[in-house]
């Protein structure tokens, strides 16, 4: 699996290329935006976004961890599904840009 940097305004994350799939970790952006991860995970699991969800092992500072990822197209759809009222005021402009 290959890793590539991803930038979304002031957030820097990673994309993973696994075979022919591009995968991103929604928890990282969720945390950056100040969203509750459990609510976001529930939204992903209970919607069509779940079709793009995978659990993969990725390296971290604490060793390899199983992590929820979304295919790139589903990641974009998830970002668009975030209501700006759920994001702290100082982070809202990131969703509206």
């Amino acid at each position: 699996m290959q890793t590539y940097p991803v930038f979304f305004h002031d957030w820097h994350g990673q994309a993973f290329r696994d075979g022919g799939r591009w995968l991103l970790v929604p928890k990282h952006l969720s945390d950056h935006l100040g969203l509750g991860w459990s609510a976001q995970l529930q939204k992903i699991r209970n919607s069509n976004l779940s079709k793009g969800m995978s659990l993969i092992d990725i390296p971290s500072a604490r060793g390899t961890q199983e992590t929820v990822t979304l295919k790139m197209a589903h990641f974009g759809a998830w970002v668009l599904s975030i209501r700006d009222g759920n994001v702290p005021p100082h982070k809202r402009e990131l969703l509206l840009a």
Side-chain angles (χ1 to χ4, degrees):
M1 182 172 359
Q2 298 170 309
T3 305
Y4 299 90
V6 175
F7 305 96
F8 179 75
H9 299 284
D10 66 340
W11 174 72
H12 302 245
Q14 292 180 321
F16 301 92
R17 181 130 174 120
D18 185 29
R21 304 178 306 164
W22 285 97
L23 305 169
L24 293 109
V25 180
K27 183 180 186 312
H28 296 166
L29 183 58
S30 177
D31 291 348
H32 180 73
L33 293 174
L35 297 168
W37 173 239
S38 61
Q40 295 303 310
L41 180 58
Q42 182 177 3
K43 176 171 47 172
I44 291 167
R45 285 185 170 153
N46 295 333
S47 69
N48 283 335
L49 296 170
S50 66
K51 294 178 183 176
M53 188 178 102
S54 300
L55 292 173
I56 65 167
D57 292 329
I58 62 169
S60 75
R62 294 175 281 177
T64 302
Q65 296 188 356
E66 187 174 68
T67 305
V68 172
T69 62
L70 286 173
K71 290 181 183 176
M72 190 173 290
H74 291 84
F75 187 86
W78 168 70
V79 171
L80 291 173
S81 77
I82 298 170
R83 295 174 5 134
D84 63 335
N86 293 339
V87 177
H90 67 282
K91 294 287 185 173
R92 283 188 191 145
E93 68 183 48
L94 299 176
L95 295 177
L96 302 175

